[in-house]
Amino acid sequence: MAFLEIEKLEKRFGSVSILKGIDLDIDEGGFLVLVGPSGCGKSTLLNTIAGLESVSGGEIRIAGKRVNELHPSRRDIAMVFQSYALYPNMTVAQNISFGMEIKGVPKPERDKAIAGVSETLQIGHLLDRKPSQLSGGQRQRVAMGRALVRRPQVFLFDEPLSNLDAKLRVDMRTEIKRLHQSMKRTIVYVTHDQIEAMTLATKIAVLKDGVLQQAGTPAEIYNSPTNMFVADFMGSPAMNLIPATVNVSGKSPALDIGAYGGRTMSLDLGASNGMLSKFSGRPVMFGIRPEAITDPEGADRTSKNLITAECFVEVVEPAGSDTFAVVHLGGKEAVARLRADAKVVPGTVAKLAFNLDKAVFFDPETQQRIA
């Protein structure tokens, strides 16, 4: 049985519908990440779970108990905000323990809790400082410490790392992952950063315009996107979405793709993609991740359907551990992810290997996955 359950949840502000029938759940101890573009409703959804926003329809249950009408203080949740929301006139220790003090927790118990979280978050040397004397990363640790001492059923994080620089984001991401593994508490986390989503989550929910597009494990979201929006949104670089036509004149269906010099590239899909036969002669959108287009020497030798084809390389982008090549396919730019020492030169034709085991296909009209 799921620990946090969201059923047919709706939220309206006047005549404007923000959340449109969200169905979502997460098991106890799970890490649910809500992602989507700005304005998709992810922060509103988090606020309804917290009780900071009322719901217009549907139900929210925590540990089997309906919490729609419960005051935020009675939901047994703790929230970490993007802005940290620390009291500027209090020390770090006072900020961490303020909630416990309000609840009448005895001082020895408060001191023990402060000592525990400060050791976990490595902020023991900061306990006597004020927030103005802290860096952004230190303030975020204090905000997390204030949530941790409460030991709630559910932690809610609202884009907690968005104000930090790139390196500190990576460091704090690791800290949050480590905390989740040690605490084994349920977490709901909002971010617009898909790398955060992929590395932290046990389950990802992708939203667009208040509608849940797909929910699943990071691997399911990445490898088996349910529609073109999810395919394009998740991944950096994004999945290549290449216009193509299905051709079934041979023993197995093939993809005909416009290539350089006005020629057509044909990729044999093999018998495993026989279900595409009903799309014979029709346009499809061919989805393939950059790492599934690579130099032949670096290709996955365990693939059952590895096709080599010549592509015109327009741009080469060395990126340390990888080299990215931009090629022209189906009238669009596509990105290939090659080995760091791959010998490719912009403005020339290169042989690239397509791992069609990793390919997915979409209907360009409905934008839904078809295979």
Side-chain angles (χ1 to χ4, degrees), residues 62-83:
I62 298 176
K65 180 181 180 180
R66 176 186 165 101
V67 298
N68 288 39
E69 293 78 25
L70 281 184
H71 189 271
S73 63
R74 298 180 58 201
R75 296 192 183 196
D76 198 14
I77 55 99
M79 194 161 183
V80 179
F81 297 91
Q82 177 182 352
S83 61

Side-chain angles (χ1 to χ4, degrees), residues 1-6 25-29 49 59-67 70 74-77 152-154 186:
M1 179 180 174
F3 186 73
L4 172 63
E5 301 168 280
I6 299 166
D25 60 61
I26 185 71
D27 292 336
E28 186 170 10
I49 298 170
E59 190 166 280
I60 301 172
R61 294 185 293 274
I62 298 176
K65 180 181 180 180
R66 176 186 165 101
V67 298
L70 281 184
R74 298 180 58 201
R75 296 192 183 196
D76 198 14
I77 55 99
Q153 292 190 95
V154 181
T186 306

Side-chain angles (χ1 to χ4, degrees), residues 71-312:
H71 189 271
S73 63
R74 298 180 58 201
R75 296 192 183 196
D76 198 14
I77 55 99
M79 194 161 183
V80 179
F81 297 91
Q82 177 182 352
S83 61
Y84 317 135
L86 302 177
Y87 297 105
N89 60 323
M90 294 184 181
T91 65
V92 167
Q94 290 169 335
N95 265 283
I96 291 174
S97 64
F98 183 69
M100 292 188 294
E101 187 174 352
I102 292 297
K103 288 186 175 182
V105 176
K107 189 176 186 304
E109 192 174 333
R110 297 201 308 267
D111 290 343
K112 182 178 179 181
I114 292 170
V117 298
S118 62
E119 181 180 357
T120 299
L121 296 171
Q122 300 177 25
I123 55 174
H125 61 295
L126 305 175
L127 293 177
D128 294 326
R129 296 188 191 180
K130 299 285 183 67
S132 61
Q133 299 172 295
L134 306 177
S135 68
Q138 290 170 336
R139 292 181 193 182
Q140 191 55 269
R141 288 171 187 265
V142 175
M144 289 169 58
R146 184 175 56 190
L148 289 174
V149 293
R150 295 182 54 192
R151 302 192 65 81
Q153 292 190 95
V154 181
F155 287 98
L156 306 179
F157 288 81
D158 189 7
E159 300 202 48
L161 308 184
S162 61
N163 292 332
L164 307 181
D165 62 56
K167 184 180 185 306
L168 195 51
R169 284 176 74 100
V170 174
D171 293 343
M172 288 300 298
R173 199 166 66 210
T174 302
E175 288 300 321
I176 291 172
K177 184 90 171 180
R178 184 179 291 118
L179 280 171
H180 177 247
Q181 290 172 346
S182 63
M183 293 185 308
K184 295 180 173 57
R185 294 297 175 104
T186 306
I187 293 177
V188 183
Y189 188 105
V190 165
T191 182
H192 63 272
D193 187 325
Q194 54 193 280
I195 302 301
E196 280 181 32
M198 294 293 295
T199 54
L200 291 173
T202 59
K203 187 173 188 176
I204 295 174
V206 185
L207 284 82
K208 179 189 177 188
D209 298 331
V211 177
L212 179 65
Q213 302 293 310
Q214 185 175 0
T217 66
E220 288 168 346
I221 297 291
Y222 188 79
N223 296 318
S224 304
T226 192
N227 57 39
M228 288 171 57
F229 173 78
V230 176
D232 184 59
F233 187 80
M234 296 301 297
S236 181
M239 176 178 279
N240 297 304
L241 296 170
I242 303 165
T245 302
V246 178
N247 183 340
V248 291
S249 58
K251 292 183 179 179
S252 58
L255 277 186
D256 289 342
I257 302 170
Y260 71 96
R263 60 187 284 271
T264 298
M265 174 194 299
S266 185
L267 300 178
D268 189 341
L269 296 175
S272 61
N273 278 297
M275 63 184 301
L276 283 176
S277 296
K278 61 183 179 181
F279 286 86
S280 178
R282 291 170 54 185
V284 296
M285 201 63 77
F286 168 43
I288 188 166
R289 294 285 180 190
E291 60 269 24
I293 309 176
T294 188
D295 52 296
E297 293 79 7
D300 182 1
R301 296 302 168 185
T302 65
S303 172
K304 297 177 182 177
N305 194 5
L306 199 63
I307 302 293
T308 301
E310 291 186 335
C311 299
F312 182 77

